[in-house]
Amino acid sequence: MTLANDILKKNKTFAVVGVSQDTTKYGHESFETLLEYGYSVIPVNPKYERVDDVPCYPSLKSLPEKPDVVVAVVPPGVTESVVQSCASLGIRTVWMPPGAWSEKAVEICQANGIIEVHDVCLVASLHLQH
């Protein structure tokens, strides 16, 4: 079993940082696909109060519960900040899809004992898993 499959099997609550209300964006597709497969999904984006009738939070720090996994669907430089937030909040797993990860973000994860998946499409992994 790959690490990506293992994460999808063992975790139930995902926070999608950079979620979008625009249905053509990867951030929205990731959010919708997680919901479709029965995961609890918390949208995170300071631009929105709700995404598809789900309350949206401005930051990881503002979440009502700690997610099992954070999915970063933001530019690599922002992902680096997201990973730092995960480290300070004790979030132990981060998924960085293609276009969202950087070597620095991976290094931050490794330095802080965060399990990370990078350059792997979450949506494709979900479809393969189910």
Side-chain angles (χ1 to χ4, degrees), residues 62-104:
S62 67
L63 297 181
E65 65 179 292
K66 186 167 72 173
D68 299 319
V69 181
V70 166
V71 180
V73 288
V74 291
V78 178
T79 297
E80 293 162 8
S81 297
V82 169
V83 171
Q84 289 283 19
S85 293
C86 290
S88 66
L89 294 169
I91 297 168
R92 306 288 7 132
T93 307
V94 175
W95 194 304
M96 300 174 280
W101 72 282
S102 69
E103 289 296 333
K104 184 176 179 185

Side-chain angles (χ1 to χ4, degrees), residues 6 14 30 38 43 48 82-83:
D6 197 40
F14 287 70
S30 298
Y48 310 119
V82 169
V83 171

Side-chain angles (χ1 to χ4, degrees), residues 3 7 92-96 106 109-110 114-118:
L3 178 58
I7 289 169
R92 306 288 7 132
T93 307
V94 175
W95 194 304
M96 300 174 280
V106 171
C109 287
Q110 292 170 345
I114 295 172
I115 297 165
E116 59 83 16
V117 171
H118 67 276

Side-chain angles (χ1 to χ4, degrees), residues 8-123:
L8 293 174
K9 278 192 187 308
K10 293 182 178 177
N11 296 283
K12 299 293 176 225
T13 304
F14 287 70
V16 179
V17 178
V19 67
S20 177
Q21 290 179 337
D22 182 342
T23 58
T24 66
K25 300 283 187 181
Y26 186 78
H28 190 84
E29 185 181 12
S30 298
F31 172 75
E32 286 293 328
T33 306
L34 282 162
L35 285 174
E36 177 185 332
Y37 287 117
Y39 295 93
S40 174
V41 189
I42 307 166
V44 179
N45 191 324
K47 293 179 186 175
Y48 310 119
E49 289 186 16
R50 302 184 80 71
V51 175
D52 293 354
D53 286 332
V54 178
C56 188
Y57 297 88
S59 66
L60 289 172
K61 191 173 166 184
S62 67
L63 297 181
E65 65 179 292
K66 186 167 72 173
D68 299 319
V69 181
V70 166
V71 180
V73 288
V74 291
V78 178
T79 297
E80 293 162 8
S81 297
V82 169
V83 171
Q84 289 283 19
S85 293
C86 290
S88 66
L89 294 169
I91 297 168
R92 306 288 7 132
T93 307
V94 175
W95 194 304
M96 300 174 280
W101 72 282
S102 69
E103 289 296 333
K104 184 176 179 185
V106 171
E107 289 168 9
I108 295 166
C109 287
Q110 292 170 345
N112 288 282
I114 295 172
I115 297 165
E116 59 83 16
V117 171
H118 67 276
D119 207 23
V120 175
C121 179
L122 174 66
V123 174

